[in-house]
Amino acid sequence: MQLDQAKQLRELESQLNAEYQAILAKKLNLDLTRGKPSSDQLDLSDALDGILKGNYIAADGTDTRNYGGLDGLPEAKKLGANIMGVEAANVLVGGSSSLTLMFQVALTAHLFGLKDAASAWKHEGDIAFLCPVPGYDRHFTICEQLGIKMINVPMTATGPDMDIVENLIKSDSKIKGIWCVPKYSNPTGVVYSNETVERIAKLGKIASPNFRVFWDNAYAVHDLIDNPPQLASILEATKKHNTEDSVIQFASTSKITQAGAGVAFVAASATNLAGFKKALSACTIGPDKVNQIRHTRFLPDRSALMAHMKKHAELLNPRFSAVLDALAKAFDGTDLGNWEKPVGGYFVSFDTRKNCAKETVRLAAEAGVKLTPAGATFPYGKDPDDRNIRIAPSVPTVPDVVAAMQVFVVCVKLASVRQDLAALG
Amino acid sequence: MQLDQAKQLRELESQLNAEYQAILAKKLNLDLTRGKPSSDQLDLSDALDGILKGNYIAADGTDTRNYGGLDGLPEAKKLGANIMGVEAANVLVGGSSSLTLMFQVALTAHLFGLKDAASAWKHEGDIAFLCPVPGYDRHFTICEQLGIKMINVPMTATGPDMDIVENLIKSDSKIKGIWCVPKYSNPTGVVYSNETVERIAKLGKIASPNFRVFWDNAYAVHDLIDNPPQLASILEATKKHNTEDSVIQFASTSKITQAGAGVAFVAASATNLAGFKKALSACTIGPDKVNQIRHTRFLPDRSALMAHMKKHAELLNPRFSAVLDALAKAFDGTDLGNWEKPVGGYFVSFDTRKNCAKETVRLAAEAGVKLTPAGATFPYGKDPDDRNIRIAPSVPTVPDVVAAMQVFVVCVKLASVRQDLAALG
């Protein structure tokens, strides 16, 4: 029986290898690595340049061309509020990058204190952040840069495993934060359930002082379908539990208008905003308000915003379908991989069998299909199970996504069957 | 004789006080506080919005709308090089604020090291910066925020007193930097002499390791006259002395195009740029390249830049003349004050007699003329002699500058004569 199995595996490997060799001969050059908008998506916002028609004055009379306005224009705060579903009074508008705002908030909390100088994390020695995995590599880089230890927490279909999160926080007073991408999580595409949001809002009650949830709502309005899942309001939940200071929200228009030239936002309690503004005032006179007013003229209200996002969805949808159809056709009912079926965001996350991710990525690269390096979705670039691969289909054309996924499927199968063969000896 | 003098002083005081009371009755509301461009100056760059006409592609094919390009577009580096008089290869292009770049470079040198982790200033305990005074308050704020001690060094008509600078640096290994505004220094308007530039370039030879000159060339092309003084090239001087790593230059278009929405630049050695980029990559994917390309289309070469700056000079010149004429008329040949006669930049700096600056600013404020708080041009806001007042005439209209200077003159005289009277007892 084992001999039969080995024979079958060898036959399968040989057949897959033939398919793989045929792919190699095509000399493909395809790229599923970075989560950035395609040119077609960027074209949707080309009206930004020239939209001011000589009128650089904000609604409150501010001359946007001059210095000042550390926390942004009132109408830009409203735009941020529309995206994040919060009050404009809780919003600070930054430059073009929410990542920079996250770094600056983390730096402020670490060195200067968000509440006061005594609240700075640096006074507590080696502190740590919880990192739901797989997650966003640039979040992890911020921790690494600031010398903050990272502790992995598994993601589930409803968000981070909250039993583990709560237990870790209760048992370790050095834990000062957690990274969250609550809607269309990077990379799994999961939307945090109402219960998860509620439990995260309560972490401020069990955590040590100065604990902060970094709530990176990067895909808040980035739905692919008409009746998308609703993310519960973390702000309302923290108000209910009197933990408003424990959560800081981030968003930007990077994947709404121009990826490199959008407007970024922080939403937080009055205490957090005051502490952040104090630190911010040492390093800037104020953000680019001309770009803010361009954006508010382009997206004047929530309905303009949602209509604009629908155009993105029309471009992204066939690409996501190409990925999900290929995965379903190849792996439904098999034990070769697991994945979520996101209805928004920028990624599909695929878990191979244990110890097959690196080999799959290597095989794909040799066949001309670039994938994000295996491990990149984990702190320090180390996926302990070597399983997770992030697929980013937004940039290539639909036929290219289809072609790339054909390669991906063959590579997953080949890595798996070769692993089986190796196990047989 | 002393009685006669006292009588004369009392008469003078009474006459000045009458003038002052007449001013009070006018209920003025004038402002000479901040060094920012006027609306007329900002109008000069209104063509920036709409200049792209749908073409967002840089010369090298980069789609400026998308992510990436940590150190900026090649043509934007060239713009920075044109402003600073350096090679484009030595330039990194940031967001809209050179102040932010200065903070980020200082933070990098302090926490992470510009050369390597071991070179970080934090390993050397309490470090210090030399601060030529009077100077720019926001430079001092960066030091204060990072916990860097500040040591005052007097400014002269040729730049910082270099004997004092060199002696301090030789005797104190904790000194890791010096702030310099080498052309039209903020606020004295002095242009560093060739000898000063040469001696600053040699500081890297006598300073302790990881010493850095922060060369804030904010007014590099901001001349008011046709044949302006030439600032010697610090880059050439450091090349000659093999101290290229010891100087980091900064500039921006804030006072060339739009004060809050310009493009900022760092120029530095390959080693410094590499260290800075490494740290920068933890907090941003890249700066706003769309704004960069707007600027390069608007100011395509050095001659376009200089023609544009001439228009600024035409607007600024009458304002500076109003200040300098008023000071000359009132104080030439007296011992009531000293000032430089800047031919560029944004400020005139006036030194009253000892212990008269605060009182002058107070009197002016009561009479409806806002001046920058006395002391603001010194570290920790403390002018030990209470002498320096920064006058910023760019924003008010010419008649308003004239009116404000009439008040200023009376306030200086009144503060001085009252001090004389108090000394007489």
Side-chain angles (χ1 to χ4, degrees), chain B residues 168-193:
Chain B
L168 282 167
I169 284 178
K170 278 181 203 156
S171 67
D172 186 351
S173 68
K174 296 291 190 186
I175 295 172
K176 292 296 169 193
I178 180 171
W179 288 109
C180 295
V181 182
K183 192 172 168 189
Y184 309 131
S185 192
N186 178 350
T188 65
V190 154
V191 179
Y192 288 15
S193 69

PDB file of all heavy atoms in Angstrom, chain B residues 168-193:
ATOM      1  N   LEU B 168      35.180  75.642  22.203  1.00  0.00           N
ATOM      2  CA  LEU B 168      34.174  74.795  22.866  1.00  0.00           C
ATOM      3  C   LEU B 168      34.258  73.364  22.337  1.00  0.00           C
ATOM      4  O   LEU B 168      34.231  72.396  23.113  1.00  0.00           O
ATOM      5  CB  LEU B 168      32.772  75.361  22.636  1.00  0.00           C
ATOM      6  CG  LEU B 168      32.387  76.568  23.490  1.00  0.00           C
ATOM      7  CD1 LEU B 168      31.114  77.229  22.957  1.00  0.00           C
ATOM      8  CD2 LEU B 168      32.190  76.150  24.960  1.00  0.00           C
ATOM      9  N   ILE B 169      34.362  73.233  21.036  1.00  0.00           N
ATOM     10  CA  ILE B 169      34.380  71.897  20.435  1.00  0.00           C
ATOM     11  C   ILE B 169      35.624  71.121  20.865  1.00  0.00           C
ATOM     12  O   ILE B 169      35.553  69.914  21.138  1.00  0.00           O
ATOM     13  CB  ILE B 169      34.270  72.006  18.898  1.00  0.00           C
ATOM     14  CG1 ILE B 169      32.816  72.325  18.527  1.00  0.00           C
ATOM     15  CG2 ILE B 169      34.746  70.739  18.202  1.00  0.00           C
ATOM     16  CD1 ILE B 169      32.559  72.517  17.058  1.00  0.00           C
ATOM     17  N   LYS B 170      36.766  71.825  20.942  1.00  0.00           N
ATOM     18  CA  LYS B 170      37.998  71.151  21.375  1.00  0.00           C
ATOM     19  C   LYS B 170      37.915  70.695  22.819  1.00  0.00           C
ATOM     20  O   LYS B 170      38.483  69.674  23.201  1.00  0.00           O
ATOM     21  CB  LYS B 170      39.195  72.106  21.230  1.00  0.00           C
ATOM     22  CG  LYS B 170      39.756  72.179  19.819  1.00  0.00           C
ATOM     23  CD  LYS B 170      40.958  73.129  19.785  1.00  0.00           C
ATOM     24  CE  LYS B 170      41.200  73.658  18.384  1.00  0.00           C
ATOM     25  NZ  LYS B 170      41.908  74.937  18.376  1.00  0.00           N
ATOM     26  N   SER B 171      37.218  71.467  23.652  1.00  0.00           N
ATOM     27  CA  SER B 171      37.242  71.179  25.089  1.00  0.00           C
ATOM     28  C   SER B 171      36.085  70.300  25.547  1.00  0.00           C
ATOM     29  O   SER B 171      36.062  69.859  26.687  1.00  0.00           O
ATOM     30  CB  SER B 171      37.228  72.492  25.876  1.00  0.00           C
ATOM     31  OG  SER B 171      35.975  73.135  25.677  1.00  0.00           O
ATOM     32  N   ASP B 172      35.099  70.043  24.670  1.00  0.00           N
ATOM     33  CA  ASP B 172      33.907  69.317  25.129  1.00  0.00           C
ATOM     34  C   ASP B 172      33.498  68.270  24.091  1.00  0.00           C
ATOM     35  O   ASP B 172      32.881  68.590  23.077  1.00  0.00           O
ATOM     36  CB  ASP B 172      32.769  70.313  25.383  1.00  0.00           C
ATOM     37  CG  ASP B 172      31.548  69.646  25.999  1.00  0.00           C
ATOM     38  OD1 ASP B 172      31.516  68.395  26.076  1.00  0.00           O
ATOM     39  OD2 ASP B 172      30.631  70.375  26.395  1.00  0.00           O
ATOM     40  N   SER B 173      33.808  67.007  24.384  1.00  0.00           N
ATOM     41  CA  SER B 173      33.517  65.938  23.430  1.00  0.00           C
ATOM     42  C   SER B 173      32.023  65.607  23.357  1.00  0.00           C
ATOM     43  O   SER B 173      31.608  64.812  22.522  1.00  0.00           O
ATOM     44  CB  SER B 173      34.297  64.675  23.797  1.00  0.00           C
ATOM     45  OG  SER B 173      33.794  64.160  25.006  1.00  0.00           O
ATOM     46  N   LYS B 174      31.240  66.198  24.244  1.00  0.00           N
ATOM     47  CA  LYS B 174      29.788  65.958  24.206  1.00  0.00           C
ATOM     48  C   LYS B 174      29.099  66.808  23.144  1.00  0.00           C
ATOM     49  O   LYS B 174      27.917  66.629  22.877  1.00  0.00           O
ATOM     50  CB  LYS B 174      29.175  66.282  25.568  1.00  0.00           C
ATOM     51  CG  LYS B 174      29.662  65.392  26.704  1.00  0.00           C
ATOM     52  CD  LYS B 174      29.142  63.982  26.555  1.00  0.00           C
ATOM     53  CE  LYS B 174      29.425  63.171  27.821  1.00  0.00           C
ATOM     54  NZ  LYS B 174      29.062  61.755  27.642  1.00  0.00           N
ATOM     55  N   ILE B 175      29.823  67.758  22.573  1.00  0.00           N
ATOM     56  CA  ILE B 175      29.219  68.609  21.540  1.00  0.00           C
ATOM     57  C   ILE B 175      29.144  67.827  20.235  1.00  0.00           C
ATOM     58  O   ILE B 175      30.164  67.431  19.679  1.00  0.00           O
ATOM     59  CB  ILE B 175      30.022  69.920  21.359  1.00  0.00           C
ATOM     60  CG1 ILE B 175      29.928  70.750  22.639  1.00  0.00           C
ATOM     61  CG2 ILE B 175      29.496  70.708  20.156  1.00  0.00           C
ATOM     62  CD1 ILE B 175      30.838  71.968  22.652  1.00  0.00           C
ATOM     63  N   LYS B 176      27.918  67.592  19.771  1.00  0.00           N
ATOM     64  CA  LYS B 176      27.711  66.745  18.597  1.00  0.00           C
ATOM     65  C   LYS B 176      27.163  67.493  17.399  1.00  0.00           C
ATOM     66  O   LYS B 176      26.949  66.883  16.338  1.00  0.00           O
ATOM     67  CB  LYS B 176      26.737  65.606  18.962  1.00  0.00           C
ATOM     68  CG  LYS B 176      27.312  64.602  19.934  1.00  0.00           C
ATOM     69  CD  LYS B 176      28.495  63.871  19.325  1.00  0.00           C
ATOM     70  CE  LYS B 176      29.258  63.046  20.355  1.00  0.00           C
ATOM     71  NZ  LYS B 176      30.549  62.600  19.838  1.00  0.00           N
ATOM     72  N   GLY B 177      26.926  68.791  17.558  1.00  0.00           N
ATOM     73  CA  GLY B 177      26.388  69.505  16.412  1.00  0.00           C
ATOM     74  C   GLY B 177      26.351  70.997  16.615  1.00  0.00           C
ATOM     75  O   GLY B 177      26.606  71.509  17.715  1.00  0.00           O
ATOM     76  N   ILE B 178      26.069  71.689  15.523  1.00  0.00           N
ATOM     77  CA  ILE B 178      25.883  73.141  15.559  1.00  0.00           C
ATOM     78  C   ILE B 178      24.811  73.503  14.528  1.00  0.00           C
ATOM     79  O   ILE B 178      24.743  72.905  13.463  1.00  0.00           O
ATOM     80  CB  ILE B 178      27.204  73.896  15.256  1.00  0.00           C
ATOM     81  CG1 ILE B 178      26.995  75.418  15.294  1.00  0.00           C
ATOM     82  CG2 ILE B 178      27.809  73.483  13.912  1.00  0.00           C
ATOM     83  CD1 ILE B 178      28.294  76.222  15.217  1.00  0.00           C
ATOM     84  N   TRP B 179      23.931  74.417  14.904  1.00  0.00           N
ATOM     85  CA  TRP B 179      22.905  74.915  13.980  1.00  0.00           C
ATOM     86  C   TRP B 179      23.466  76.097  13.211  1.00  0.00           C
ATOM     87  O   TRP B 179      24.006  77.035  13.822  1.00  0.00           O
ATOM     88  CB  TRP B 179      21.667  75.393  14.747  1.00  0.00           C
ATOM     89  CG  TRP B 179      20.858  74.293  15.344  1.00  0.00           C
ATOM     90  CD1 TRP B 179      20.743  73.972  16.664  1.00  0.00           C
ATOM     91  CD2 TRP B 179      20.005  73.369  14.636  1.00  0.00           C
ATOM     92  NE1 TRP B 179      19.891  72.909  16.826  1.00  0.00           N
ATOM     93  CE2 TRP B 179      19.420  72.515  15.596  1.00  0.00           C
ATOM     94  CE3 TRP B 179      19.692  73.168  13.280  1.00  0.00           C
ATOM     95  CZ2 TRP B 179      18.542  71.491  15.254  1.00  0.00           C
ATOM     96  CZ3 TRP B 179      18.809  72.145  12.942  1.00  0.00           C
ATOM     97  CH2 TRP B 179      18.249  71.325  13.915  1.00  0.00           C
ATOM     98  N   CYS B 180      23.331  76.075  11.893  1.00  0.00           N
ATOM     99  CA  CYS B 180      23.787  77.203  11.076  1.00  0.00           C
ATOM    100  C   CYS B 180      22.719  77.579  10.053  1.00  0.00           C
ATOM    101  O   CYS B 180      22.178  76.701   9.389  1.00  0.00           O
ATOM    102  CB  CYS B 180      25.059  76.816  10.315  1.00  0.00           C
ATOM    103  SG  CYS B 180      26.476  76.477  11.374  1.00  0.00           S
ATOM    104  N   VAL B 181      22.429  78.870   9.951  1.00  0.00           N
ATOM    105  CA  VAL B 181      21.653  79.403   8.822  1.00  0.00           C
ATOM    106  C   VAL B 181      22.630  80.321   8.103  1.00  0.00           C
ATOM    107  O   VAL B 181      22.773  81.481   8.443  1.00  0.00           O
ATOM    108  CB  VAL B 181      20.397  80.161   9.288  1.00  0.00           C
ATOM    109  CG1 VAL B 181      19.591  80.651   8.088  1.00  0.00           C
ATOM    110  CG2 VAL B 181      19.539  79.288  10.190  1.00  0.00           C
ATOM    111  N   PRO B 182      23.344  79.766   7.100  1.00  0.00           N
ATOM    112  CA  PRO B 182      24.559  80.422   6.627  1.00  0.00           C
ATOM    113  C   PRO B 182      24.325  81.649   5.744  1.00  0.00           C
ATOM    114  O   PRO B 182      25.213  82.470   5.613  1.00  0.00           O
ATOM    115  CB  PRO B 182      25.255  79.318   5.835  1.00  0.00           C
ATOM    116  CG  PRO B 182      24.140  78.442   5.359  1.00  0.00           C
ATOM    117  CD  PRO B 182      23.128  78.454   6.463  1.00  0.00           C
ATOM    118  N   LYS B 183      23.151  81.737   5.138  1.00  0.00           N
ATOM    119  CA  LYS B 183      22.902  82.883   4.248  1.00  0.00           C
ATOM    120  C   LYS B 183      21.651  83.606   4.719  1.00  0.00           C
ATOM    121  O   LYS B 183      20.591  82.994   4.877  1.00  0.00           O
ATOM    122  CB  LYS B 183      22.740  82.386   2.801  1.00  0.00           C
ATOM    123  CG  LYS B 183      22.779  83.524   1.793  1.00  0.00           C
ATOM    124  CD  LYS B 183      22.822  83.005   0.358  1.00  0.00           C
ATOM    125  CE  LYS B 183      22.572  84.167  -0.607  1.00  0.00           C
ATOM    126  NZ  LYS B 183      22.395  83.701  -1.984  1.00  0.00           N
ATOM    127  N   TYR B 184      21.786  84.920   4.936  1.00  0.00           N
ATOM    128  CA  TYR B 184      20.680  85.696   5.509  1.00  0.00           C
ATOM    129  C   TYR B 184      20.168  85.000   6.774  1.00  0.00           C
ATOM    130  O   TYR B 184      18.992  84.662   6.921  1.00  0.00           O
ATOM    131  CB  TYR B 184      19.570  85.899   4.477  1.00  0.00           C
ATOM    132  CG  TYR B 184      20.084  86.443   3.160  1.00  0.00           C
ATOM    133  CD1 TYR B 184      19.727  85.854   1.951  1.00  0.00           C
ATOM    134  CD2 TYR B 184      20.962  87.529   3.131  1.00  0.00           C
ATOM    135  CE1 TYR B 184      20.222  86.347   0.744  1.00  0.00           C
ATOM    136  CE2 TYR B 184      21.460  88.024   1.929  1.00  0.00           C
ATOM    137  CZ  TYR B 184      21.085  87.429   0.741  1.00  0.00           C
ATOM    138  OH  TYR B 184      21.575  87.907  -0.449  1.00  0.00           O
ATOM    139  N   SER B 185      21.101  84.802   7.660  1.00  0.00           N
ATOM    140  CA  SER B 185      20.868  84.081   8.909  1.00  0.00           C
ATOM    141  C   SER B 185      19.599  84.550   9.600  1.00  0.00           C
ATOM    142  O   SER B 185      19.302  85.738   9.623  1.00  0.00           O
ATOM    143  CB  SER B 185      22.081  84.318   9.817  1.00  0.00           C
ATOM    144  OG  SER B 185      22.038  83.447  10.893  1.00  0.00           O
ATOM    145  N   ASN B 186      18.861  83.598  10.141  1.00  0.00           N
ATOM    146  CA  ASN B 186      17.647  83.896  10.904  1.00  0.00           C
ATOM    147  C   ASN B 186      18.062  84.140  12.347  1.00  0.00           C
ATOM    148  O   ASN B 186      18.548  83.219  12.983  1.00  0.00           O
ATOM    149  CB  ASN B 186      16.698  82.693  10.776  1.00  0.00           C
ATOM    150  CG  ASN B 186      15.418  82.865  11.560  1.00  0.00           C
ATOM    151  OD1 ASN B 186      15.278  83.788  12.356  1.00  0.00           O
ATOM    152  ND2 ASN B 186      14.481  81.940  11.359  1.00  0.00           N
ATOM    153  N   PRO B 187      17.942  85.345  12.901  1.00  0.00           N
ATOM    154  CA  PRO B 187      17.292  86.519  12.327  1.00  0.00           C
ATOM    155  C   PRO B 187      18.238  87.621  11.883  1.00  0.00           C
ATOM    156  O   PRO B 187      17.748  88.635  11.381  1.00  0.00           O
ATOM    157  CB  PRO B 187      16.465  87.019  13.507  1.00  0.00           C
ATOM    158  CG  PRO B 187      17.357  86.760  14.689  1.00  0.00           C
ATOM    159  CD  PRO B 187      18.127  85.507  14.359  1.00  0.00           C
ATOM    160  N   THR B 188      19.553  87.480  12.041  1.00  0.00           N
ATOM    161  CA  THR B 188      20.385  88.675  11.847  1.00  0.00           C
ATOM    162  C   THR B 188      20.571  89.069  10.390  1.00  0.00           C
ATOM    163  O   THR B 188      20.981  90.188  10.100  1.00  0.00           O
ATOM    164  CB  THR B 188      21.796  88.491  12.472  1.00  0.00           C
ATOM    165  OG1 THR B 188      22.486  87.446  11.773  1.00  0.00           O
ATOM    166  CG2 THR B 188      21.708  88.153  13.941  1.00  0.00           C
ATOM    167  N   GLY B 189      20.311  88.161   9.453  1.00  0.00           N
ATOM    168  CA  GLY B 189      20.451  88.483   8.035  1.00  0.00           C
ATOM    169  C   GLY B 189      21.881  88.433   7.539  1.00  0.00           C
ATOM    170  O   GLY B 189      22.154  88.742   6.370  1.00  0.00           O
ATOM    171  N   VAL B 190      22.787  88.000   8.402  1.00  0.00           N
ATOM    172  CA  VAL B 190      24.208  87.922   8.062  1.00  0.00           C
ATOM    173  C   VAL B 190      24.469  86.783   7.075  1.00  0.00           C
ATOM    174  O   VAL B 190      23.840  85.726   7.158  1.00  0.00           O
ATOM    175  CB  VAL B 190      25.018  87.688   9.366  1.00  0.00           C
ATOM    176  CG1 VAL B 190      26.335  86.996   9.093  1.00  0.00           C
ATOM    177  CG2 VAL B 190      25.195  89.001  10.104  1.00  0.00           C
ATOM    178  N   VAL B 191      25.385  86.992   6.142  1.00  0.00           N
ATOM    179  CA  VAL B 191      25.872  85.907   5.281  1.00  0.00           C
ATOM    180  C   VAL B 191      27.241  85.490   5.806  1.00  0.00           C
ATOM    181  O   VAL B 191      28.125  86.336   5.989  1.00  0.00           O
ATOM    182  CB  VAL B 191      25.983  86.369   3.811  1.00  0.00           C
ATOM    183  CG1 VAL B 191      26.510  85.225   2.935  1.00  0.00           C
ATOM    184  CG2 VAL B 191      24.632  86.851   3.309  1.00  0.00           C
ATOM    185  N   TYR B 192      27.402  84.205   6.093  1.00  0.00           N
ATOM    186  CA  TYR B 192      28.682  83.728   6.618  1.00  0.00           C
ATOM    187  C   TYR B 192      29.808  84.087   5.642  1.00  0.00           C
ATOM    188  O   TYR B 192      29.672  83.892   4.433  1.00  0.00           O
ATOM    189  CB  TYR B 192      28.666  82.204   6.806  1.00  0.00           C
ATOM    190  CG  TYR B 192      27.822  81.686   7.958  1.00  0.00           C
ATOM    191  CD1 TYR B 192      26.862  82.478   8.598  1.00  0.00           C
ATOM    192  CD2 TYR B 192      27.990  80.370   8.412  1.00  0.00           C
ATOM    193  CE1 TYR B 192      26.086  81.968   9.645  1.00  0.00           C
ATOM    194  CE2 TYR B 192      27.225  79.859   9.457  1.00  0.00           C
ATOM    195  CZ  TYR B 192      26.274  80.657  10.063  1.00  0.00           C
ATOM    196  OH  TYR B 192      25.517  80.153  11.087  1.00  0.00           O
ATOM    197  N   SER B 193      30.926  84.581   6.171  1.00  0.00           N
ATOM    198  CA  SER B 193      32.074  84.932   5.330  1.00  0.00           C
ATOM    199  C   SER B 193      32.765  83.665   4.821  1.00  0.00           C
ATOM    200  O   SER B 193      32.549  82.564   5.345  1.00  0.00           O
ATOM    201  CB  SER B 193      33.073  85.747   6.142  1.00  0.00           C
ATOM    202  OG  SER B 193      33.672  84.909   7.121  1.00  0.00           O
TER     203      SER B 193
END
